[in-house]
């Protein structure tokens, strides 16, 4: 008899070891149970339940609209599907940074109510004290600098960050602040490749790039972009590795046509019963016709 080995959950110590050993890794977002299972079984070590949820799954025009309850709901589904990967819950707009007590309490909900193992917060220098407080309470935190979509109204749009001298210096300061505050990794979003490489060289925690070129320690992408499920605008930094949206549409059209033509459901997709039982129920046997129900008085128990 062979007992199957229990699956061990990836921890931030494993991520640190992979980083030390120069092992580059891919991470990706997920928002639901089946996708989390597929991503987990593909061996992706870190899954982010990103607040991109709002735009790619819930149809909002910005991530600013996503609530903590929506994030917790989807994080729970992902945590149920991922048996191996480290699950990171993305803290939504204003669920952190208003007060440290509230930030820690909300971060804690991702672990205690949604079974994530870590959280992510946006912002460099501006979020460093908050990040430090969450880490001090025992919760691993992933940082996120560069284009921080929750601050899109302040940044003036979804554009590359760090191209000017001033903003490049600010970005390096942000990266160092996040590391100093205790983050186990930091996302660099929409940053010039050269600057992302320079930041990666200066840090001793992994950088996880998205739209940040090839010189980061790891990469993250939004799952709908990668599988070809994103409708409308796909960012330049994303590559479609499949056409799941097209496959989905084709399957739905096939189902619709099969129902209309009578091809589905067929016998193999149906169940049957003993003919004699049906004959009795329908009064087709010698049973008294009077026993066959025609109309049921509403107050009668069946
Ligand atoms: O919400 C998200 O999907 C993210 C990634 C783009 C890093 O923050």
């Amino acid at each position: 008899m062979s007992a199957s080995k229990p699956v061990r959950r990836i921890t931030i110590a494993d991520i640190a070891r992979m980083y030390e050993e120069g092992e580059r890794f891919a991470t990706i977002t997920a928002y639901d149970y089946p996708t989390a299972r597929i991503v987990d079984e593909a061996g992706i070590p870190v899954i982010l339940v990103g607040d991109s949820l709002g735009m790619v799954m819930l149809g909002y025009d910005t991530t600013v609209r996503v609530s903590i309850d929506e994030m917790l709901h989807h994080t729970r589904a992902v945590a149920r599907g991922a048996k191996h990967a480290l699950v990171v819950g993305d803290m939504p707009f204003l669920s952190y940074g208003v007060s440290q007590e509230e930030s820690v309490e909300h971060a804690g909900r991702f672990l205690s109510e949604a079974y994530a193992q870590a959280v992510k917060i946006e912002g460099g220098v501006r979020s460093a004290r908050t990040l430090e407080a969450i880490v001090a309470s025992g919760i691993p935190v992933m940082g996120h600098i560069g284009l921080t979509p929750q601050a899109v109204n302040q940044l003036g749009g979804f554009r590359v960050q760090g191209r000017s001298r001033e903003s490049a210096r600010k970005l390096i300061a942000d990266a160092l602040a996040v590391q100093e505050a205790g983050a186990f990794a930091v996302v660099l979003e929409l940053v010039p490749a050269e600057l992302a490489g320079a930041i990666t060289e200066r840090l001793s925690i992994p950088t996880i790039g998205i739209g940040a070129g090839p010189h980061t320690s790891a990469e993250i992408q939004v799952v709908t972009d990668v599988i070809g499920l994103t409708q409308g605008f796909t960012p330049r930094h994303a590559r479609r590795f499949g056409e799941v949206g097209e496959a989905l549409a084709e399957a739905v059209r096939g189902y619709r046509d099969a129902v209309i033509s009578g091809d589905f459901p067929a016998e193999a997709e149906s169940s049957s019963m003993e003919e004699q039982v049906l004959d009795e129920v329908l009064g087709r046997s010698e049973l008294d016709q009077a026993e066959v129900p025609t109309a049921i008085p509403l107050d009668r128990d069946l």
Side-chain angles (χ1 to χ4, degrees):
M1 199 176 79
S2 74
S4 61
K5 231 172 116 188
V7 180
R8 186 176 75 75
R9 175 83 63 189
I10 300 255
T11 66
I12 59 166
D14 294 313
I15 303 300
R17 183 191 43 76
M18 287 162 76
Y19 170 72
E20 292 299 331
E21 292 173 1
E23 191 181 329
R24 196 169 150 74
F25 55 91
T27 82
I28 200 163
T29 65
Y31 315 100
D32 57 48
Y33 174 81
T35 310
R37 280 194 67 162
I38 291 169
V39 166
D40 198 50
E41 281 162 21
I44 298 276
V46 180
I47 301 179
L48 172 70
V49 189
D51 66 351
S52 48
L53 163 79
M55 295 175 78
V56 302
M57 288 285 147
L58 304 182
Y60 297 152
D61 57 349
T62 142
T63 60
V64 168
R65 308 218 185 290
V66 180
S67 71
I68 188 160
D69 287 334
E70 286 168 332
M71 286 307 305
L72 293 173
H73 177 76
H74 286 268
T75 304
R76 264 193 293 275
V78 169
R80 282 193 289 266
K83 303 282 176 253
H84 185 58
L86 179 84
V87 176
V88 181
D90 206 2
M91 295 188 69
F93 184 55
L94 293 192
S95 68
Y96 60 96
V98 177
S99 78
Q100 290 203 356
E101 290 73 23
E102 235 177 53
S103 305
V104 172
E105 188 190 322
H106 290 157
R109 291 185 68 191
F110 277 88
L111 274 64
S112 63
E113 293 177 32
Y115 316 121
Q117 288 82 48
V119 298
K120 175 169 85 57
I121 69 172
E122 293 184 4
V125 171
R126 72 177 159 91
S127 294
R129 295 286 77 82
T130 303
L131 200 158
E132 192 174 52
I134 298 173
V135 171
S137 71
I139 301 170
V141 182
M142 179 184 280
H144 182 163
I145 61 171
L147 176 80
T148 46
Q150 291 170 15
V152 67
N153 295 305
Q154 204 168 41
L155 298 173
F158 293 91
R159 54 172 70 118
V160 176
Q161 303 293 305
R163 276 201 170 124
S164 69
R165 272 188 201 83
E166 193 194 345
S167 66
R169 282 197 193 102
K170 182 180 170 308
L171 214 52
I172 293 172
D174 280 339
L176 292 170
V178 162
Q179 170 172 279
E180 183 71 18
F184 71 92
V186 59
V187 171
L188 306 181
E189 180 165 356
L190 281 196
V191 174
E194 303 83 345
L195 182 59
I199 290 173
T200 301
E201 268 176 29
R202 280 165 178 73
L203 294 191
S204 51
I205 56 172
T207 55
I208 305 178
I210 174 164
H215 311 303
T216 53
S217 324
E219 176 74 12
I220 186 160
Q221 288 284 319
V222 169
V223 67
T224 49
D225 290 343
V226 167
I227 66 174
L229 189 58
T230 299
Q231 282 152 358
F233 174 75
T234 302
R236 175 168 168 240
H237 59 73
R239 188 189 297 175
R240 291 167 89 97
F241 289 85
E243 291 300 336
V244 169
E246 199 31 61
L248 196 61
E250 203 181 310
V252 172
R253 285 192 297 264
Y255 162 70
R256 175 201 63 195
D257 293 347
V259 169
I260 291 170
S261 71
D263 177 53
F264 178 82
E267 211 179 304
E269 288 132 348
S270 313
S271 56
S272 59
M273 65 189 291
E274 274 179 39
E275 208 178 331
Q276 192 194 339
V277 175
L278 188 62
D279 282 347
E280 283 173 18
V281 172
L282 299 181
R284 294 194 299 223
S285 69
E286 59 278 7
L287 192 80
D288 186 350
Q289 292 276 335
E291 283 191 32
V292 179
T294 48
I296 308 291
L298 288 179
D299 60 353
R300 195 183 121 184
D301 282 342
L302 280 178

